[in-house]
Amino acid sequence: MSKVIVHIDLNAFFVRCEEIKDPSLENKPVAVGHDGRGGIVSTCSYKAREYGVSSGMPMFHAKKLCPHLIIKPSDYHYYSALSDQFMAFVASYTKKIEIASIDECFADFTEVIKNEKDVPAFFRKIQKILYEKTKLKCSIGVASTKFLAKMASDYKKPMGLTIIRKSDIAPLLYPLDISKMFGIGKKTTPRLREIGINTIGDLALRCQKDDPILMSQLGKFYSTIKDWISGKGSDEVITTPWDPKSIGNSTTLKEDTNNKSTISTTFRYLSKEVSSRAMKENKLGHTIQIVVKESDFKVHNKSTTIDNPTNNENTIYDVAMRLYEKNFSNMTVRLLGVTLQNLIDAKDIAIQMSLFDYQQHEEESATKLLINDLNRKLKKKALIRASEVEKHDGNK
DNA sequence: TCTGGGGTCCTAGGACCC
DNA sequence: TCTGGGGTCCTAGGACCC
């Protein structure tokens, strides 16, 4: 019995938040993002999209395409609060909810719609109630796996509702361009085109044949992709709260520089941010990584693993500076970043401390074992010697 | 004014231990 | 004198997503 997995995606979320704050923005070309050096479009309204503006685009470019574009700086705290309202709304239907990002979630509606006669009408109603309660607009995808639900919510925006049954995979997804497939990005797309794969249907057919060229192109990802498009992907909605595996901050400098004091001040600021976030999350990290982007956008990482996990600002700063001095001291840089990795919970440190005693005990045991082993070997040698002596004596 | 910042996961080579 | 592999951890880079 297959599950009913739903993916709900808030349409142009950041822009919609701004429209809720200021309704006069509705039906106008609006972009959320920083308007300055390095600024890009984070999200844009559907009106702005008509001019060719899209997310990820440099802001100066967006302004060229749409000269009367209204630009709003990003207000992350405000968006987070609205996001919480949205997640709470979905959670009022089912506790089986997985927060995928600030503006989307998966939810398992199997039980909820068990006795529902008109499923599309049911989800239309959810859309309507969400809008009435929060003024947020969403697209809903319904399917038996997370991948298909995600593709379904993407199928029609804004305020779309798409249901993908197994028999709908071919007619709905196969005609789509390969770049529309979740997991296939701007690097893999041209590589797939080169081997004659231009649509999701092309990919599906080559998967059915276990095409060796395709398999070698995708590596380990191949079996996941094959499962996804054949409808055998994961249907597990992961309800455990997010547990960060790394905490990092980075910033693009006002101008490219190799100025020591600017760089040191920036690393100090980044270390402080990372430290305070790690402390808030109650995390300590074993590994400190720095990221350096050159003027030509070439990115370098350097990291080092330390014995005692930390979230101390000074320790993070010292390690970051050492890594920088050792590897990039004369480089003209555009961006700097600091990340704490290999995180452990601060509360586990207590266990680690008692583990320290345990390890000492182990070390002692290990020494004992070594001595015992040596003794055994010595005894054996002595025995061999003794037997040799005996032999020698016997030969006499 | 050219191209952000937050993440996750995978790969591949080298060091080191047994 | 020549010469094993298996496992794990660390490191650097890269692809992808929102």
Side-chain angles (χ1 to χ4, degrees), chain A residues 18 69 83 132 156-157 214 229 243 268 296 324 341 352 378 380:
Chain A
E18 294 297 333
L69 184 68
S83 173
E132 284 165 1
K156 191 173 177 292
K157 288 179 177 181
L214 176 63
I229 47 175
D243 187 36
R268 170 59 71 182
D296 63 0
Y324 166 77
Q341 301 170 320
Q352 287 249 323
L378 282 171
K380 205 173 167 187

Side-chain angles (χ1 to χ4, degrees), chain A residues 286-290 302-306 319-320 322-323 341:
Chain A
H286 269 289
T287 305
I288 292 153
Q289 182 199 50
I290 64 164
K302 290 286 169 190
S303 67
T304 190
T305 300
I306 54 176
V319 174
R322 229 181 302 145
L323 284 168
Q341 301 170 320

Side-chain angles (χ1 to χ4, degrees), chain A residues 81-368:
Chain A
L82 283 185
S83 173
D84 290 347
Q85 282 185 34
F86 163 63
M87 300 298 174
F89 171 77
V90 179
S92 71
Y93 288 88
T94 173
K95 295 283 170 272
K96 291 180 187 170
I97 170 172
E98 176 179 338
I99 297 168
S101 76
I102 193 166
D103 63 354
E104 58 178 313
C105 68
F106 292 97
D108 187 335
F109 270 68
T110 313
E111 288 300 311
V112 183
I113 62 140
K114 208 167 49 184
N115 300 315
E116 208 57 54
K117 285 187 186 66
D118 190 343
V119 172
F122 174 81
F123 286 111
R124 282 287 176 211
K125 210 169 92 189
I126 286 194
Q127 249 173 353
K128 191 165 163 263
I129 299 171
L130 176 70
Y131 182 76
E132 284 165 1
K133 283 193 169 174
T134 65
K135 294 286 166 211
L136 291 168
K137 295 178 181 178
C138 73
S139 284
I140 299 179
V142 185
S144 57
T145 71
K146 290 206 285 185
F147 168 76
L148 292 175
K150 168 88 181 158
M151 294 300 290
S153 76
D154 229 31
Y155 195 79
K156 191 173 177 292
K157 288 179 177 181
M159 291 294 262
L161 170 64
T162 306
I163 298 170
I164 301 186
R165 298 168 207 83
K166 282 265 168 67
S167 57
D168 300 319
I169 296 176
L172 286 184
L173 299 186
Y174 281 14
L176 297 182
D177 190 83
I178 190 63
S179 61
K180 293 275 181 286
M181 170 113 181
F182 179 80
I184 304 295
K186 63 178 196 292
K187 296 286 177 180
T188 312
T189 296
R191 275 174 28 218
L192 292 181
R193 289 204 202 284
E194 230 166 79
I195 58 171
I197 295 171
N198 289 296
T199 63
I200 294 179
D202 293 341
L203 183 71
L205 281 166
R206 299 278 278 271
C207 280
Q208 280 162 22
K209 289 186 237 161
D210 275 332
D211 182 281
I213 301 166
L214 176 63
M215 289 170 79
S216 76
Q217 279 288 325
L218 295 177
K220 201 178 164 180
F221 195 32
Y222 173 78
S223 64
T224 308
I225 289 258
K226 187 178 173 171
D227 282 350
W228 280 356
I229 47 175
S230 60
K232 285 182 287 199
S234 164
D235 60 2
E236 291 302 320
V237 170
I238 298 160
T239 54
T240 48
W242 181 63
D243 187 36
K245 291 173 181 62
S246 65
I247 293 173
N249 280 79
S250 62
T251 185
T252 296
L253 305 168
K254 287 204 175 63
E255 53 187 15
D256 296 1
T257 186
N258 59 4
N259 179 283
K260 288 282 175 300
S261 97
T262 306
I263 285 164
S264 149
T265 307
T266 306
F267 272 126
R268 170 59 71 182
Y269 159 74
L270 293 168
S271 305
K272 194 173 182 156
E273 288 292 309
V274 168
S275 164
S276 79
R277 284 177 58 209
M279 291 200 296
K280 213 182 272 176
E281 297 282 344
N282 253 301
K283 293 283 183 186
L284 297 150
H286 269 289
T287 305
I288 292 153
Q289 182 199 50
I290 64 164
V291 187
V292 171
K293 192 189 271 180
E294 288 188 72
S295 312
D296 63 0
F297 290 82
K298 218 174 153 75
V299 176
H300 305 272
N301 305 306
K302 290 286 169 190
S303 67
T304 190
T305 300
I306 54 176
D307 289 336
N308 301 313
T310 189
N311 59 19
N312 178 274
E313 179 194 329
N314 293 326
T315 310
I316 296 169
Y317 170 77
D318 288 342
V319 174
M321 281 306 287
R322 229 181 302 145
L323 284 168
Y324 166 77
E325 293 287 355
K326 196 176 155 199
N327 299 284
F328 310 114
S329 59
N330 289 315
M331 190 181 273
T332 299
V333 298
R334 175 183 179 86
L335 165 145
L336 295 174
V338 173
T339 303
L340 200 57
Q341 301 170 320
N342 249 320
L343 299 183
I344 57 162
D345 282 312
K347 63 174 158 55
D348 291 341
I349 274 294
I351 299 162
Q352 287 249 323
M353 288 304 277
S354 54
L355 204 77
F356 177 71
D357 296 334
Y358 177 72
Q359 274 168 350
Q360 275 205 328
H361 163 80
E362 285 280 282
E363 272 168 36
E364 279 165 24
S365 308
T367 313
K368 270 183 203 157

